[in-house]
Amino acid sequence: DVKVTQSSRYLVKRTGEKVFLECVQDMDHENMFWYRQDPGLGLRLIYFSYDVKMKEKGDIPEGYSVSREKKERFSLILESASTNQTSMYLCASRRSAGIANEKLFFGSGTQLSVL
Amino acid sequence: AQKITQTQPGMFVQEKEAVTLDCTYDTSDQSYGLFWYKQPSSGEMIFLIYQGSYDEQNATEGRYSLNFQKARKSANLVISASQLGDSAMYFCAMRALYNFNKFYFGSGTKLNVKP
């Protein structure tokens, strides 16, 4: 069974800390994504990566960075966590095949609380 | 710009009844894909159904069907014979077919199935 695994389900950090959210997929997918989910706002794209060491900004990249050193792993980094980054973070992956119905596969999410 | 609107923040349905979750979208693109995802309390987003803008027939997957009305720009999800396990958040999403990595999500509908 295909799998996207996020390292933590719940995380509590302090303001100003550097935070790493890790995501690993076992499907050999080229594309990986980080979304932020907030009530009433749905999912918003932070960053995505279409290949190792390649990345593109999504709709809300401010305050975040990403790293993709290996194909299966995509990390989201909060350089200096702030309380407004308290949210659910969802990692996803997708094949690069040019098929119209190619869907996203999601992890279970990391609920991050910044105090 | 693309936008997805889900106007029902929460809904109740009696077990074994059918329910329709509304989704309207705004796009100037001619080619696009529409997706529905289910998010149980466990957090993982589960793909349910896909509809392409050029598909002539409404998509169906088991108890899920998509009522696609292109002229009205709506893509409502119909769940037949609701089960207790259908209680979850449901998200509608759209992707332009020229940009496989850009998905737009609605704000979601929380469905509660009553026994």
Side-chain angles (χ1 to χ4, degrees):
Chain A
D1 205 9
V2 296
K3 201 100 175 124
V4 178
T5 303
Q6 294 185 231
S7 53
S8 304
R9 183 71 177 93
Y10 298 96
L11 210 53
V12 180
K13 296 292 181 181
R14 296 207 174 273
T15 303
E17 277 192 75
K18 190 169 185 177
V19 180
F20 293 85
L21 302 184
E22 306 288 346
C23 176
V24 177
Q25 50 97 1
D26 65 358
M27 297 167 280
D28 201 36
H29 285 173
E30 291 80 6
N31 305 285
M32 296 187 74
F33 307 78
W34 276 105
Y35 286 91
R36 171 175 172 160
Q37 180 183 355
D38 298 289
L41 297 178
L43 278 69
R44 292 179 291 167
L45 181 63
I46 304 171
Y47 268 98
F48 71 94
S49 168
Y50 51 90
D51 202 349
V52 174
K53 297 190 186 294
M54 307 304 289
K55 62 186 179 186
E56 281 198 26
K57 293 180 180 179
D59 300 313
I60 52 165
E62 298 78 18
Y64 303 95
S65 62
V66 291
S67 172
R68 193 162 180 207
E69 297 296 319
K70 293 184 177 182
K71 189 176 185 180
E72 67 271 18
R73 186 180 296 270
F74 192 35
S75 302
L76 179 69
I77 304 157
L78 287 66
E79 296 289 342
S80 178
S82 64
T83 54
N84 62 12
Q85 292 178 309
T86 291
S87 186
M88 169 72 93
Y89 291 88
L90 289 165
C91 176
S93 71
R94 189 187 66 77
R95 287 192 305 165
S96 260
I99 301 172
N101 63 349
E102 196 60 54
K103 57 187 177 286
L104 293 169
F105 291 85
F106 284 88
S108 295
T110 295
Q111 180 62 52
L112 173 67
S113 297
V114 182
L115 306 178
Chain B
Q2 280 80 2
K3 186 178 179 182
I4 296 282
T5 302
Q6 293 180 254
T7 57
Q8 306 153 312
M11 289 190 70
F12 285 91
V13 65
Q14 202 67 39
E15 193 178 10
K16 299 180 185 175
E17 291 185 353
V19 63
T20 297
L21 307 184
D22 294 341
C23 172
T24 58
Y25 58 92
D26 187 17
T27 182
S28 55
D29 296 325
Q30 296 302 308
S31 300
Y32 49 88
L34 296 156
F35 301 75
W36 276 92
Y37 282 87
K38 171 185 178 181
Q39 186 182 43
S41 56
S42 59
E44 183 178 350
M45 299 273 281
I46 302 166
F47 167 76
L48 295 178
I49 197 167
Y50 168 84
Q51 177 84 44
S53 58
Y54 289 114
D55 293 341
E56 294 186 351
Q57 291 194 332
N58 286 343
T60 60
E61 290 284 351
R63 294 187 299 110
Y64 305 107
S65 60
L66 204 151
N67 183 1
F68 180 48
Q69 299 186 46
K70 192 170 181 178
R72 300 178 66 177
K73 293 188 176 178
S74 74
N76 298 338
L77 177 71
V78 180
I79 305 174
S80 63
S82 297
Q83 302 172 357
L84 296 178
D86 293 335
S87 293
M89 281 290 287
Y90 289 82
F91 290 93
C92 179
M94 178 178 66
R95 192 199 66 211
L97 292 186
Y98 63 84
N99 188 344
F100 285 92
N101 281 329
K102 204 67 190 296
F103 286 73
Y104 298 88
F105 286 83
S107 54
T109 295
K110 179 79 167 80
L111 177 66
N112 286 290
V113 180
K114 298 190 291 185

